[in-house]
Amino acid sequence: MRRVRDGARRIAPGLLVAAAVSALALGLARLLPSASPLLLAIVLGAGLANLGAVSDRVVPHLEAGLALAARRLLRIGIALLGLQLALTDVLGLGWGVIAVVVTVVVLGIAGTVVAGRLLGLSRTQTLLVAGGFSICGAAAAAAVDGVVDADDEELLTAVALVVLFGTAMIPLLPLLAGAIGLDAMQAGMWAGASVHEVAQVVAASGVIGGGALTVAVVVKLGRVLLLAPVLAAISVHERRVARRQVAPQGGPQGGPQGGPRGDRRQPPLVPLFVAGFVALVLVRTTGFVPQGVLDAARLTETALLTMAMFALGTGVRVAALRRVGARPFVLAGLATVWVSAVALAGILVAT
């Protein structure tokens, strides 16, 4: 009992601060409908950290609670996101648009991985950027971090890049869509297939107008739906990498346990939060979930993800971004252009 009380005291300060900032971000989002509470929370976290409000002296008291928010609450929020997706909505797009969505995610990840290798970035940093830019932004990057052994700095860099490049797309994509001559539906599909965060998709398609918002959100949710199979594929790949790293240490010299790497932890084949996400998608698809439950789940999911984004934001330091150099920014720019180009080509063919 005493251990439980000590654990609660340890995580309470960080969780309370994250909850307070989450409430503030949700309130600001109501006043500014085009703003995302998740992005606001990241900005607030990064701003407080870089202004010294979350200083090195304060962080030790908040660290346990913020770590819980950035990991466990994030995964619960991602699982709850499944209740916002119904397979029937995605199937309603038609097989042509569905093929575009799958192509964007597959080629987006593949192209980003190739670019990351050419730039000499680490495999884990590249995968975080690839997942975030090809699927659903910061939440996807953090979800990929759940199945790869990435450094905290790499995840924080990926999150910061999602905010910078995704926000830049909000005014740029509608301008480009108009210059190319896309109609509102095509432009909405392009926004949904290429912009990083769901909230950024909403903002960009709102600028486009003319009915673009609805189709943009459904296309974007189609990309979100691919989060589960992508994470499962990455997890299988990581297990193979782990086995290859263990194998050379075996035999007569390394011993039956594979030497010093024999205890390397392999990622689960299907992480629990991914299984929960898929299960809740199937539950939502049945159509038997009351609207009140869906509304409560949406609010809970947004609150948990907002708390998690604030926790991640407190780790985003300008000095650290300077330290990582230009290559991650170049990769983010290339990934943004590549995903947008694949999405545009697919939509022009499909429509």
Side-chain angles (χ1 to χ4, degrees), residues 67-77 304:
L68 180 68
R71 297 283 183 177
R72 189 161 298 177
L73 297 190
L74 172 74
R75 293 175 185 184
I76 295 172
L304 292 176

Side-chain angles (χ1 to χ4, degrees), residues 63 127 141 155 211 296 302 313:
E63 188 172 6
L127 284 173
L155 174 59
T302 303

Side-chain angles (χ1 to χ4, degrees), residues 71 123-124 127-128 143-150 234 238 265 267:
R71 297 283 183 177
R123 177 178 55 84
T124 48
L127 284 173
L128 294 179
V144 171
D145 183 55
V147 295
V148 302
D149 188 21
I234 292 174
E238 289 298 296
R265 182 181 66 84

Side-chain angles (χ1 to χ4, degrees), residues 25-152:
L26 289 167
L28 289 173
R30 285 182 176 272
L31 296 175
L32 306 168
S34 61
S36 160
L38 276 67
L39 296 181
L40 288 172
I42 293 173
V43 172
L44 286 170
L48 289 173
N50 287 281
L51 291 174
V54 185
S55 63
D56 292 337
R57 186 173 58 185
V58 175
V59 164
H61 301 287
L62 305 178
E63 188 172 6
L66 292 179
L68 180 68
R71 297 283 183 177
R72 189 161 298 177
L73 297 190
L74 172 74
R75 293 175 185 184
I76 295 172
I78 291 172
L80 285 175
L81 183 61
L83 277 178
Q84 310 309 320
L85 297 171
L87 294 176
T88 50
D89 292 337
V90 177
L91 292 175
L93 293 170
W95 292 110
V97 178
I98 292 172
V100 171
V101 170
V102 174
T103 301
V104 166
V105 172
V106 172
L107 292 186
I109 292 173
T112 304
V113 167
V114 170
R117 287 176 181 170
L118 294 175
L119 288 168
L121 288 168
S122 70
R123 177 178 55 84
T124 48
Q125 178 72 90
T126 301
L127 284 173
L128 294 179
V129 173
F133 281 53
S134 301
I135 305 175
C136 59
V144 171
D145 183 55
V147 295
V148 302
D149 188 21
D151 294 335
D152 288 344

Side-chain angles (χ1 to χ4, degrees), residues 173 176-188 190 208 344 347-348:
L173 188 139
L176 290 172
I180 295 170
L182 301 181
D183 60 33
M185 294 298 289
Q186 289 174 317
W190 190 26
I208 295 167
L344 178 60
I347 286 160
L348 291 176

Side-chain angles (χ1 to χ4, degrees), residues 229-303:
V230 166
L231 289 179
I234 292 174
S235 182
V236 169
H237 175 72
E238 289 298 296
R239 289 168 70 90
R240 289 175 179 167
V241 169
R243 283 198 295 269
R244 284 201 300 267
Q245 290 179 340
V246 170
Q249 302 293 329
Q253 296 180 349
Q257 296 302 316
R261 295 184 183 180
D263 60 351
R264 179 184 174 96
R265 182 181 66 84
Q266 289 190 345
L269 186 59
V270 179
L272 185 59
F273 71 95
V274 177
F277 172 86
V278 173
L280 290 178
V281 169
L282 296 176
V283 169
R284 171 63 191 275
T285 304
T286 64
F288 294 139
V289 184
Q291 187 60 46
V293 173
L294 293 176
D295 292 340
R298 181 181 292 110
L299 179 59
T300 302
E301 164 239 314
T302 303

